[in-house]
Structures are given as C-alpha cells and as structure tokens.
Amino acid sequence: MAGAAAEQRRLATVVESWLGRGVVVVGDAMLDEWRFAESDRLCREAPAPILTLRRRITAAGGAANTAVNVATLGGRALLVAPVGADVAGDELHDCLDRAGVWDRTVSEPHRPTPVKRRMLAGNQILLREDSGDPDELLDDGGVARLLTALDRATEELKAVAGGAVPTLVVCDYGLGALPAPVRAWLVANRHRYATVALDAHDLADWRGLNPTVVTPSFAEATRLLARAAAGFGAPPAPARTGGTDLHLDHPTDDPADGPSELVVGTAPGGVGRAPTGPTGEPTAGEGRVAMTGDGLSVTGAGVTVNATVGEGVDRAVLAEARLAELRAHTGADVVAVTLDTEGAVVGGSDGAPRRSHSTPVPASHAVGAGDAYLAAMTLALAAEAPLPTAAQLAQLAATITVSDTGTCVCRREDLLDALGAPDGTAHPTLVGAGELDAIVADHRRAGRSVVFTNGCFDVLHPGHVRYLEQARALGDLLVVAVNSDRSVRRLKGPDRPVNPVEDRIALLAALSCVDHVVVFEEDSPAGLIEAVRPDVYVKGGDYPPEMVPEAPLVRRLGGQVRTLGYVPDRSTSAIIDRIRAQGVGSPQPAQAGSPERPAQAAGPPPGADAPPDSTTPTPQSMGRTA
C-alpha cells in the first residue's frame, strides 16, 4: 500500500514539525473529577443504588485540558487562566505540572476553581455535579492580573522561540474567565499571534477577533446561525475585511453560556437510528432553534434539527450547507463543526467542505475529545500544514483518545504510532470485495476520509493517471474498483478487454496515488458503494454530477459526487483505434523462405474484431475512465 504509506509518512512529518511550537492557552480552566463506584443493592429510603467508592482520579479540564493536549502532542503549552486558591486549584496545578504545561495561572482567592464531578458505576455515568458559578466574573483586579499574565506569557514564549510569533488558543466556556475587557484586549492584540484558534460556547461574543480557526459544536454553530436569522445582526459580509469588523451583534439580554440541549431527529444513514440525546452545557432561557434544510427559526427552549426535511438529511449535511455563513459570521479562515461521535465537517476559503469520521463510543469515553481535536488542529495549522492534513490529524487525535473512561488526552507517541499503523491497519493494495468494508472501517477509525472510483482501466494511459491523482487529492484514501473481464465484455463488446484483469489491477496497484484496488463482477459498483460508503465518489466526464447514475445512492449514504474532466484524446478506445489504423496501413513483414506478401486492402487486420461502435455517448458511457 505505497500510497497510504507515503501519506502516513507525510502526516508524521507534520507532527514532527510542530515539536516545541509555543502556544498560549487562555480561558476557563477547570478540574475534572472521576469517581468510580460499585453497586449491588438499593437503599431503603428510595429506589436508588447504594454506591461504594472504589477509585477517584482527577484531570485537567476545559482550557487546562487543551493546554495538556498541546503539551503531550509535543507543543510548548503555556496556560493563562484564573484558578481558585482551594483544594481543587491545588489538584489542577498538579495535573498541569505532570503534563509539562507552563503554569502561568492567576490565583483568585475569592473565586472557586470550577469542578465537574462525575460518579460512575459499571462504566456508566450516573450523575455529574458542577461547581463554579458562571456569574462569578473576574473583578477589576482579577482582570488586571489576568491581562498582565497574558501579556507576559506572550512575550515569554516569543523570547524562548527566538522572536517567533506565538500561537493563541482561546477557550471560552462561559464560566467567567474571559469577561468583556479580556475579550477586547485579545481583539486589540490579535496581531501579536500568528495562528489563533477559538473554541467558544458563544461565538457572537468574539466578533472582531478574526481567528484562524473556530471549532464550534453543531449546537454552538446552530445557535449562532439562529441569532443571525432572528435579526440580531446585519447580514454577513461575503469575505473577511480584516481589522475589527463586527460580524454579528450580540443581544444584551442573551445568556452567556452555551446551548441547553441538542436533539437530532435523523441520524447519519437516515432510517432506523435513534435520536441523539441532549448535549452541550445547560443554560436557562435559550430559545429553541429549529434547523431545516431551508433555514432556521427560533421557537422555544433548546436546539433541535427538523427530521422531516427529507431522507438522508443529517447534521453533517446541514453543517456543510452553512459553512460559508459560519465563516462570514465569525471572520474565521477555517470553520470545523464538530459532531461528537460522528466526526466533523471542516471548511476553508476554497469553499470545499471536508468530512471526517469518528468511532461511536460511550459518552464517558469522549469527555475532552474536543480538546484533543482543538490542540492537534491548532498545532497543524500553526505548522502551516494544508487544511486537509490538519483536519485529518485533528480527527485522528480525537479518535485515538476515546478508548477508555476519563478525560481525553492524546500523546505525541500515540499519534505517531497510529500513523505508523502498527496495529494491523497496513492492509494490502489488492483486496477482495468481501474484506473491503472491514479495511475501510480501520481507515475510518484512523480519521481518514475515503474517495471511491470505478472503471475498466483496460489500457492504462496518462489520462487515467491524471484522473486518479486528482481523485486522490479529494480525500485521504483512494479505492479503485475495476470491472472484471466478463463485466468489461458486457459493457464494451466481445473484443474487450485488451488486457486481462490481472494485468489491469497490477498496474493500478503500482500507482502511488492508489491505496486499494478491488475487482467487481457486476455492471454497476452499487454493491461496493454500499459497503464502502465513500465520502467522495468520483467519475470522469464533463457532465454534471446529477447525471451520474450512482449519485442518489452516494448522497443517501452521506457522500459527495464529483466529476473530473477527462484528458482530450486520451482514452482506451482512441489508443486501440490508432494501433489498428497503423496495423492496417503498414506492410506485413516477409516470412522466411517466402516471397514478400503484398499489402492488404484497408480493413481490420486478420483475426481482429471490429472497433467499438461510436454511438452517441450516454452519461453512463461518458463517465467511464476506460
């Protein structure tokens, strides 16, 4: 699998390149506490389990966990955040020290450290207790101390890096660490940071920051769009104008914390999936947002997706459709809408959405996975990696952290091990149809997006190579399905294929842009498409994607359809015609011991079949790559 191996080496090079890169993390730091208990009976007072505490662990949470992930991934993380002078604060300092984070937090004796305590039994979260009131904003003295620490931290990292401009990550979870004066300072000092990443429950609070990347959850993105639709701000400009443009007016009576709930009626894949349960941070008084394929409306309390807009409509589809608006409202170069267990949708200035996938896990395994995603995305963009590479590394970092209960942390060694594929994910290039779905599932668990194409590929020529290279550029993995010999004869006529399937797949497998080659007997690749569920399905031709016969199936499965223009005068039929024309006009070689034979009359050479018919091409035939 030469193409996948080369891709893994390229990604590993990016991970190596961000080693030691300075990142200032500022925002709401908290302590995550996990209490593991056992229960074998109910109490007499109420139908409630009696819990026996067996184990307790603590971990950095919120902005602190983002800083921990930056450090464990190989960056130089420096955390600036208010922390209470209490037991929870002491434990948080210990967590930062163990992870190698430069602790530049500000002690606030009269403000408790936010804590999220989770009680579990049998790996099931029974309850969560939160302490730390969002209304407890920093007073004027606390703001002054925080801004001083932030200014010094920025200069400290700059000095350590020999004058290189540091990276900034802002983590605003509505717990009061980033009041308006701090936000104003960060907007005014945006020029002091090369790359700025923003993760905020309320994106409207950060107008004018113009971050490099924002990573809202689907609920947070929906909330911002709902405000725009409700008239809380002027229509967004089509492009960034720089400076301190106000992208969306923030209503003064709107709650500061994130959305109260998220209810999804139609899951990816459409039919038969149960709705996703509540997620996001509790907030009283949030207006309900009904998000449909055509627009948004505010109706009540919470955030919901309208499940009646049509089969196959899901959060990823809706997010892709609104990426341009989200970029305009936030002023961000890149928007990555995270979909928890369903991966993420990422869009940049090129306007092409990129879909990544994750592996569904219990909720107790995914706490903090977004912090790992944010850290890897920030480091990759700071290292000037292309957006597809940054998105793939971010998804991979989040995916490999969810193997067990606890707050997610991705280590650099784990990320490099995953890229080295030591766990059996280095599959052969030539694969059977029966094993393809398992192989693709392995790649998806590693955060890779899948591109799929099919054709006869009878006489491999430069047009094929250019087409396959363009297809491979649309994702992380290219699967090529090849018609069997019998299938080619049914489609092309009795004189085809010129080369047997063994030769055709051997040449395709030798191309560095091809990751997997599979043979199919049917005339249509529909069965393989069902198994692979490609993120992008590619065909050759200059007709619109809507005319591709497989397009409805691909879209129903959540994928995109792309058509790539073929190279003029580069086709198998044209090559065969030229060979036959040369054979007809050339004198036949003389046989030993016999007089030279006269030239034959025009026509196909002896034993050759007639050329394929040249009837008007249909969408099915125009798109074939061979």
Side-chain angles (χ1 to χ4, degrees), residues 479-500:
V479 177
V480 180
V482 181
N483 295 79
S484 69
D485 291 346
R486 283 181 293 183
S487 177
V488 174
R489 280 193 289 273
R490 290 194 299 269
L491 293 170
K492 300 289 187 178
D495 62 336
R496 301 280 296 276
V498 173
N499 294 306

Side-chain angles (χ1 to χ4, degrees), residues 12-35:
T13 300
V14 174
V15 177
E16 297 289 355
S17 71
W18 72 44
L19 187 63
R21 187 170 294 273
V23 180
V24 176
V25 181
V26 61
D28 291 302
M30 62 191 76
L31 182 73
D32 280 350
E33 180 179 321
W34 298 82
R35 296 183 175 224

